[in-house]
Amino acid sequence: MSNPDLKQIEQFLYREASLLDQPDLDQWMQLFTEDGSYWMPAMEGQSDPLNHISHIYEDRVMMEIRRRNFVHPRSASKEWPVRCSHLLGNIQLQNQTDSGDLVVTCNFHVIVWYREEQRVYAGTCEHHLLAEGDDYRIRHKRVDLINPEAAQRSMVIYL
Amino acid sequence: MTTLISKEEVASLVRPTRLHKRLYLDPDVFELEMERIWGQAWIFIGHESQVPNPGDFFTTNITHKIPVVMVRDKGDSVHVLHNRCGHKGAKLVESRQGNVRGAFRCPYHGWTFRHDGGLLKVPNESGYDSTGFDSSDPCYSMQSVAQVESYRGFVFATLSAEAPDLKTWLGGAIDCLDNLCDRAPEGEVEVAGGVLRYEHQCNWKFILENLNDTMHPMVVHQSVVQAAEDYIATLPESAVEQRSEAEIIPPFGSSYEKFEDSGITGFRYGHHYDGGKTSIHADYKVLPAYHDAMVKAYGEERTREIYAFNTHNTLYYPSLTIKSAVQNIRVVRPIAVDRFVVETWSFRLKGAPDEMLQRTLLYSRLINSSFGMVGPDDHEVYRRAQEGLESNASEWVEFHRQYGRDQVLEDRVIGGGTSDLDMRTQYKAWQEYMTGEVFQ
Ligand code: FES
Ligand SMILES: [Fe+2]
């Protein structure tokens, strides 16, 4: 795809968000490349996922462990239903990485229903997308909360 | 502060093998804990490496409310001051950390204070002439907390003038702080890689009871252990070898026998640790470059000795819990009877390769993050207890495991790894603090 189509990219991000809304981690994971990763930094403007703490920094192996854990019948924190509603906005195509992935940023508001409580998360996302035919796969997803340094409550799902 | 709860009443809430549910539910008991436990014990404030330069400060609360600031002065001493202006009481600094340059300056009327808290200047001072105001009276300065001491960079403070010196108070449990630092080839650690803050919606004592509750991991963490073990088993060996997760997660599913073997050791003032000869961290691979640096610094024999003292969690009751073998700590900051925050800080071993810090951070992320696969299951069961105890089916929770079998030595008590020795140890201290007899 030589001319990235923003409309198509938006559709892809909406599809990803709706898989997390359900949540369907099984299908969601499939959107990632084999070397794909998910990162939620614990600090504003964090540049390093390895030498600084993060809330989440996981590759496909850890995603699969999390998926299995998520549906395991013996996990007390998962006995509560989790449902989310993602709203994405301000979706912008930024540039390309050295390896040619498209860098797309957006704002998000997520309302999460968990443990009889409705919670709001907000921030920005950065996706590195690999164009594959008419479709995309996620090489990297970075989720920056507006309050990464705040004390956070238990959360059992990716945002 | 006066209290409506009598000494006898407080003492009666803790029995040798059971605790009254008011310990978790009653806001008056919580207020009294803040006054008598958190207001008397040595509370962990921070690490000296968090304030490396003159004027650097770090703020926190020493109890649920009392704001303090840790600050380094120009002579390189680290102070813990009440974060309160000597004029009308405004907090001097609000951000969690920063640098005050020359002096603290109050945002209200502009009084300034030296890094050691002394009053420097009052604007338009002539208005105080012959009014009886004495600028040298310490009550007009930023006052120091009653006692402040640090041990190997770990800064503690107490609001009590009666507390014994820090080393005496730490007692034999000091070995675990030493072991954490000794694991650095240079014998020193520094805070690195930031902090995770995790809000807990339950009473602060649940996490302390959980640290060395070795009857819970195989139940509470069964799901993540199975998820990890089952999936890892499908991966080629070469893919697993390099992954620290594969050494960190599965031991949480260790058998009762294995945990029993690790043993628990308790000390005065509520401190205790599990492990020593072995722990769930004992089988981590030793990185060759790290081992070389250690042997160079300590020699082969001492290096082996340092590795061999392998503990899981150590509690310095009530505020600090450390993992010497992992190089991270968790700090408990109570807020209300059913709310507290846990801070997870990670440490760099000075002189060790970066991979050591990276493993520590990986551990903190996997186990202690509010978005992790371990912390939320722990937190869930604390909340279940918080909510379940509202029931009037019984007023008591029990802790009988291996009661009467503890071995009492001169400065410590030792017992089985699956015993309730950790409970007996901390609630003995709870009772001593709460009845006001702890430092008598
Ligand atoms: S309250 Fe600080 S100067 Fe007045
Ligand atoms: Fe646990």
Side-chain angles (χ1 to χ4, degrees):
Chain A
M1 226 182 311
S2 46
N3 262 330
D5 176 358
L6 188 60
K7 200 91 212 137
Q8 250 174 352
I9 291 172
E10 285 174 359
Q11 291 304 314
F12 176 79
L13 294 187
Y14 295 151
R15 200 166 85 228
E16 188 226 332
S18 64
L19 288 172
L20 285 174
D21 282 347
Q22 299 175 26
D24 182 343
L25 290 186
D26 213 346
Q27 291 296 311
W28 175 77
M29 266 179 61
Q30 306 303 324
L31 299 179
F32 283 77
T33 59
E34 282 312 307
D35 62 350
S37 56
Y38 178 99
W39 184 22
M40 186 190 290
M43 188 180 88
E44 203 202 339
Q46 188 176 328
S47 60
D48 186 341
L50 292 178
N51 295 287
H52 192 286
I53 193 71
S54 303
H55 294 295
I56 308 178
Y57 181 57
E58 290 177 358
D59 63 3
R60 286 291 298 266
V61 169
M62 288 312 294
M63 285 180 204
E64 174 61 18
I65 292 173
R66 192 182 279 267
R67 183 194 70 75
R68 289 171 181 238
N69 182 43
F70 190 72
V71 296
H72 196 286
R74 286 268 174 86
S75 169
S77 67
K78 279 121 205 135
E79 285 171 22
W80 302 88
V82 191
R83 286 191 293 274
C84 311
S85 173
H86 283 70
L87 206 63
L88 309 186
N90 204 7
I91 300 175
Q92 294 183 52
L93 182 58
Q94 299 290 353
N95 55 324
Q96 293 194 335
T97 64
D98 292 342
S99 54
D101 295 340
L102 302 170
V103 178
V104 181
T105 57
C106 69
N107 286 6
F108 71 86
H109 293 178
V110 190
I111 304 205
V112 182
W113 170 250
Y114 176 58
R115 224 187 181 287
E116 307 279 290
E117 173 188 287
Q118 196 154 301
R119 232 184 269 176
V120 180
Y121 293 92
T124 57
C125 271
E126 182 176 299
H127 285 79
H128 295 188
L129 300 178
L130 168 72
E132 234 184 30
D134 280 345
D135 207 0
Y136 298 95
R137 292 184 82 190
I138 306 168
R139 180 105 62 192
H140 183 59
K141 176 175 178 179
R142 172 180 174 139
V143 177
D144 280 288
L145 300 173
I146 57 170
N147 58 344
E149 293 101 344
Q152 303 287 340
R153 293 184 173 177
S154 287
M155 188 35 65
V156 294
I157 191 81
Y158 297 101
L159 297 181
Chain B
M1 197 188 285
T2 53
T3 169
L4 301 172
I5 310 175
S6 71
K7 186 167 152 178
E8 292 67 33
E9 197 181 347
V10 164
S12 73
L13 298 177
V14 171
R15 307 284 169 85
T17 55
R18 52 190 192 151
L19 301 170
H20 197 276
K21 66 177 193 166
R22 282 178 66 192
L23 264 75
Y24 307 96
L25 304 179
D26 186 339
D28 291 337
V29 170
F30 174 79
E31 287 297 332
L32 201 62
E33 288 175 339
M34 292 303 106
E35 182 189 316
R36 303 258 172 95
I37 302 177
W38 293 76
Q40 293 193 89
W42 283 96
I43 302 299
F44 177 71
I45 303 299
H47 192 266
E48 285 177 9
S49 59
Q50 291 173 258
V51 289
N53 303 305
D56 283 352
F57 69 85
F58 170 77
T59 64
T60 189
N61 288 350
I62 191 167
T63 67
H64 62 326
K65 284 186 183 148
I66 297 176
V68 296
V69 52
M70 174 171 79
V71 58
R72 186 181 292 270
D73 71 18
K74 293 190 180 88
D76 236 18
S77 304
V78 173
H79 303 268
V80 178
L81 308 171
H82 284 275
N83 188 0
R84 176 202 188 278
C85 179
H87 181 214
K88 290 193 169 174
K91 278 167 84 176
L92 271 306
V93 274
E94 197 50 83
S95 53
R96 280 173 178 151
Q97 55 193 48
N99 184 287
V100 290
R101 296 180 193 285
F104 289 98
R105 181 173 181 275
C106 182
Y108 201 169
H109 310 96
W111 286 27
T112 53
F113 303 88
R114 289 191 304 271
H115 296 154
D116 64 4
L119 177 59
L120 194 61
K121 202 160 168 30
V122 174
N124 197 15
E125 203 174 2
S126 60
Y128 283 103
D129 288 350
S130 1
T131 60
F133 173 76
D134 174 6
S135 64
S136 66
D137 186 329
C139 78
Y140 302 121
S141 66
M142 284 174 78
Q143 296 178 58
S144 174
V145 170
Q147 297 191 67
V148 181
E149 278 193 68
S150 82
Y151 183 74
R152 298 191 80 161
F154 291 78
V155 180
F156 291 76
T158 168
L159 295 168
S160 159
E162 268 88 63
D165 66 275
L166 179 62
K167 256 182 116 165
T168 303
W169 181 83
L170 291 168
I174 207 167
D175 293 349
C176 301
L177 265 176
D178 279 330
N179 185 255
L180 195 169
C181 301
D182 290 346
R183 282 170 184 266
E186 292 174 19
E188 274 181 24
V189 297
E190 61 185 0
V191 165
V195 57
L196 281 180
R197 292 189 166 87
Y198 191 157
E199 180 184 336
H200 283 56
Q201 296 159 282
C202 58
N203 188 271
W204 62 275
K205 294 186 294 300
F206 282 120
I207 194 169
L208 304 194
E209 294 181 12
N210 177 262
L211 296 169
N212 292 328
D213 172 346
T214 58
M215 293 301 294
H216 93 278
M218 59 294 282
V219 179
V220 171
H221 307 303
Q222 181 189 352
S223 66
V224 66
V225 169
Q226 275 178 3
E229 279 181 341
D230 291 355
Y231 184 52
I232 286 170
T234 69
L235 298 173
E237 212 169 296
S238 57
V240 177
E241 233 167 48
Q242 298 306 318
R243 301 196 69 102
S244 299
E245 293 97 333
E247 335 181 285
I248 291 173
I249 299 174
F252 279 84
S254 299
S255 65
Y256 294 120
E257 293 72 25
K258 185 124 204 268
F259 277 115
E260 174 64 15
D261 277 350
S262 68
I264 300 179
T265 306
F267 300 88
R268 219 180 148 191
Y269 305 125
H271 315 322
H272 54 87
Y273 63 78
D274 73 334
K277 291 190 298 290
T278 185
S279 87
I280 63 169
H281 312 303
D283 294 333
Y284 292 0
K285 271 196 283 294
V286 180
L287 197 75
Y290 168 65
H291 184 64
D292 292 347
M294 286 292 282
V295 171
K296 214 168 152 207
Y298 294 106
E300 189 76 37
E301 198 187 330
R302 175 72 188 129
T303 297
R304 297 275 165 207
E305 219 176 86
I306 292 168
Y307 299 163
F309 185 61
N310 200 296
T311 51
H312 176 209
N313 285 311
T314 305
L315 172 63
Y316 297 102
Y317 189 83
S319 70
L320 174 66
T321 166
I322 74 169
K323 289 183 200 284
S324 311
V326 182
Q327 296 97 50
N328 67 4
I329 65 171
R330 279 175 291 172
V331 186
V332 176
R333 306 287 190 202
I335 295 171
V337 67
D338 56 358
R339 200 163 153 237
F340 66 99
V341 168
V342 178
E343 298 169 358
T344 299
W345 298 91
S346 304
F347 287 85
R348 184 200 313 280
L349 300 171
K350 287 194 183 175
D354 289 348
E355 286 85 347
M356 293 301 288
L357 173 64
Q358 291 168 5
R359 187 180 70 188
T360 300
L361 292 165
L362 170 69
Y363 187 100
S364 299
R365 201 162 67 225
L366 282 178
I367 310 300
N368 301 335
S369 168
S370 55
F371 287 87
M373 283 181 271
V374 173
D377 280 327
D378 283 318
H379 179 246
E380 177 66 24
V381 293
Y382 310 158
R383 275 193 86 179
R384 297 282 182 102
Q386 184 81 31
E387 290 164 7
L389 285 173
E390 293 286 357
S391 157
N392 61 5
S394 165
E395 308 218 304
W396 300 91
V397 299
E398 74 79 27
F399 57 102
H400 286 77
R401 292 193 72 86
Q402 302 186 16
Y403 178 65
R405 298 184 218 164
D406 301 341
Q407 210 187 326
V408 182
L409 306 179
E410 198 187 328
D411 74 327
R412 63 193 65 197
V413 181
I414 55 178
T418 63
S419 73
D420 280 326
L421 192 157
D422 56 322
M423 294 288 284
R424 292 188 275 280
T425 301
Q426 62 191 294
Y427 283 103
K428 184 164 178 280
W430 187 95
Q431 210 173 30
E432 287 172 357
Y433 276 113
M434 291 291 275
T435 54
E437 288 161 3
V438 65
F439 298 137
Q440 284 171 14

